Amino acid sequence: MLQNMPWSDMYNKSFSIIAGPCSVESYAQMEEVFKALVKYSDVIAIRGGTFKPRTNPNSFQGLKEEGIKILEQLKFIYKKPIVTEIMDSDDIKYFNNVDVIQIGARNMQNFSLLTKVAKLQKPIILKRGFGNTIDELLSSAEYIKKAGNQQIILCERGIRTFENSMRFTLDLSSVVYLKENTDYPVIVDPSHAAGDSKYVIPLARAAKGAGADGLIVEVHPHPEEALSDANQQLTLEEFDLLEESLQSIR
Ligand code: PEP
Ligand code: MN
């Protein structure tokens, strides 16, 4: 299923990581990220939000097409694929050089967006909506498949429950269920589930233990200055600790 992916060789490794900041904020910020992460062979792609789905319209909305240009420039210098989220099919024209397109939790059931993005024939990371069942996630994947694209990566990023000790409840049952019942690769986003960087490494280890194929994790060279999700992003040093701590999980 993943054979046509430009990065399938890397993806087919035992455990793969997509890492980068919540938002692309500047060329300098992203250059630091690429420079630091390019050395990890299990980092198959760099993420960075450009069109940001922010709860509050007064929050930073992303650099939009300018952000994609920054990712593109660095992709060609550092030879790492790039991942960014699309929110509106009107923006498809900016995504030609984006390797993997993310559909965010808030758009998981935007069926017309799913259908239009599927037609680009690029791998799609489909994030589970925080109020959606696994069955609904699979129905959304079916929309993409029906539009002719089977390059789908499912992503568990936490759901809303009565529990509020962390930002969301990371549903690792979904990883176990999806690995048992589907052929799609399943990755976990421990960052948005945790909402706090100190919980990200333990959740990432748990995800690997539960059988996930990989992670998408937020990493920022200076999290305290981040324009979005400042609390949950790992520093580059913490990312190194994450890499090390994953080694002992088989
Ligand atoms: C993100 O990955 O930047 C993001 C907004 O995630 P989610 O859609 O899971 O909230
Ligand atoms: Mn984020």
Side-chain angles (χ1 to χ4, degrees):
M1 177 186 16
L2 292 169
Q3 295 321 306
N4 298 327
M5 285 191 182
W7 40 291
S8 62
D9 290 352
M10 292 181 286
Y11 196 84
N12 287 332
K13 281 186 172 179
S14 52
F15 195 75
S16 303
I17 299 179
I18 296 165
C22 180
S23 297
V24 174
E25 296 163 1
S26 69
Y27 186 92
Q29 170 226 20
M30 287 311 303
E31 192 177 32
E32 261 191 88
V33 170
F34 272 82
K35 256 189 197 157
L37 298 186
V38 79
K39 65 173 179 279
Y40 299 98
S41 60
D42 58 352
V43 173
I44 60 166
I46 304 294
R47 66 152 282 157
T50 49
F51 292 88
K52 294 299 299 175
R54 303 307 301 282
T55 301
N56 188 322
N58 299 316
S59 303
F60 176 61
Q61 300 288 304
L63 295 183
K64 305 190 162 74
E65 59 266 41
E66 214 42 56
I68 294 190
K69 277 190 202 137
I70 291 171
L71 288 174
E72 277 175 2
Q73 286 167 1
L74 289 159
K75 160 189 165 160
F76 290 117
I77 297 170
Y78 289 95
K79 315 270 181 268
K80 279 277 185 194
I82 52 175
V83 180
T84 197
E85 175 172 352
I86 191 161
M87 293 210 301
D88 189 322
S89 57
D90 280 353
D91 300 325
I92 280 179
K93 54 186 176 288
Y94 304 121
F95 282 70
N96 289 335
N97 291 319
V98 173
D99 300 282
V100 180
I101 301 186
Q102 176 173 319
I103 299 285
R106 290 158 190 80
N107 269 318
M108 188 202 88
Q109 288 190 309
N110 185 338
F111 304 121
S112 66
L113 180 67
L114 297 179
T115 302
K116 286 175 186 158
V117 172
K119 298 204 166 115
L120 297 180
Q121 294 300 341
K122 291 177 187 272
I124 294 175
I125 294 175
L126 179 62
K127 296 188 92 174
R128 179 183 182 184
F130 44 76
N132 288 111
T133 63
I134 297 171
D135 196 44
E136 287 165 342
L137 173 65
L138 290 174
S139 292
S140 290
E142 192 64 22
Y143 267 93
I144 298 171
K145 191 172 162 206
K146 224 176 155 189
N149 187 348
Q150 299 201 36
Q151 302 177 81
I152 303 164
I153 300 147
L154 302 174
C155 178
E156 168 61 48
R157 46 78 74 214
I159 54 174
R160 201 158 262 169
T161 67
F162 56 82
E163 181 52 61
N164 59 9
S165 54
M166 294 193 197
R167 189 175 177 191
F168 293 95
T169 300
L170 185 61
D171 179 17
L172 290 178
S173 305
S174 78
V175 176
V176 174
Y177 180 89
L178 290 166
K179 288 310 294 174
E180 190 65 33
N181 293 290
T182 74
D183 288 332
Y184 296 121
V186 180
I187 63 173
V188 169
D189 174 350
S191 306
H192 289 89
D196 185 327
S197 59
K198 69 172 177 277
Y199 301 128
V200 169
I201 292 179
L203 291 185
R205 286 165 54 83
K208 188 175 180 189
D213 296 295
L215 300 173
I216 181 163
V217 61
E218 287 188 343
V219 180
H220 192 294
H222 311 284
E224 68 289 351
E225 294 167 13
L227 299 180
S228 59
D229 287 347
N231 289 339
Q232 70 196 31
Q233 303 199 60
L234 299 181
T235 61
L236 297 169
E237 295 72 27
E238 287 166 337
F239 181 78
D240 198 61
L241 289 176
L242 167 66
E243 282 276 353
E244 198 187 308
S245 73
L246 288 170
Q247 298 308 318
S248 59
I249 313 276
R250 295 266 169 247

